[in-house]
Amino acid sequence: MKKLFFLFFMTAVMISCNTADKEIKKEVEIIKTEVSEKDGMFLHVSSNDPHRVLMALRMAELMAEDHDVMIYFDIRGIEVVLKDAPDLTYAQFSNSHAQLIKLAEMGIPLQACPGCLEAAGKTADDLTNGVTVADKEKFFSFTKGRILTLDY
């Protein structure tokens, strides 16, 4: 009887250790993933208000130093990324045309909503250099970490 109890006890200990070992490995993998992957910043520009737009563009530049960044223009924000868009200025910010050029040169995806383009009577050909029509797959693939959003 003692041998049977001992055998049962040892089996329970081995199962417990194996389960704990799997949990520890799982937690280590989660920590490795969190440390190795940068979070992404998704900036949503739906306004053509100079302060909002220029703040969003400046924030993109600052965040791109440490994080993956994507900017999405929709609603009235579409008007900012058209070839014939006025060059917005406000306070201490760089003008909108200069900032868009700089962000495109930095490799930051600048995407315009296709439905909003259509609603404005515009097409992809009307977009300024460096801006593309939005692709939903890129929304989830521009970064490997979490996606944080700021709306302007």
Side-chain angles (χ1 to χ4, degrees):
M1 184 70 156
K2 287 182 181 181
K3 288 182 182 180
L4 185 59
F5 176 75
F6 180 74
L7 183 60
F8 175 74
F9 176 75
M10 290 307 291
T11 302
V13 168
M14 289 175 57
I15 290 171
S16 176
C17 288
N18 190 28
T19 302
D21 186 49
K22 286 180 183 176
E23 288 300 313
I24 290 169
K25 286 180 181 177
K26 190 179 196 180
E27 288 179 30
V28 167
E29 287 304 313
I30 290 170
I31 291 168
K32 282 182 185 177
T33 300
E34 289 176 359
V35 169
S36 65
E37 296 174 351
K38 291 192 302 186
D39 290 335
M41 177 62 67
F42 183 92
L43 292 142
H44 173 220
V45 180
S46 60
S47 172
N48 61 358
D49 174 74
H51 190 183
R52 289 177 181 267
V53 171
L54 298 176
M55 183 63 207
L57 299 179
R58 179 66 178 136
M59 187 65 68
E61 181 183 349
L62 292 172
M63 291 296 165
E65 294 173 5
D66 305 312
H67 302 281
D68 298 320
V69 173
M70 173 184 275
I71 307 176
Y72 178 70
F73 299 88
D74 68 356
I75 317 296
R76 301 293 303 266
I78 290 296
E79 298 167 11
V80 176
V81 293
L82 298 173
K83 288 178 184 173
D84 61 356
D87 194 11
L88 303 178
T89 59
Y90 186 82
Q92 80 280 6
F93 299 104
S94 297
N95 63 52
S96 61
H97 289 176
Q99 284 195 56
L100 287 168
I101 290 168
K102 183 173 187 174
L103 295 172
E105 288 173 351
M106 292 173 68
I108 294 173
L110 307 170
Q111 300 213 334
C113 171
C116 295
L117 274 175
E118 184 179 349
K122 304 293 182 180
T123 68
D125 293 333
D126 295 308
L127 294 171
T128 193
N129 290 335
V131 180
T132 60
V133 174
D135 173 5
K136 70 179 180 178
E137 292 304 316
K138 290 184 182 174
F139 284 0
F140 299 101
S141 64
F142 80 97
T143 190
K144 299 267 188 245
R146 297 175 302 167
I147 300 174
L148 309 172
T149 303
L150 289 177
D151 291 303
Y152 289 94

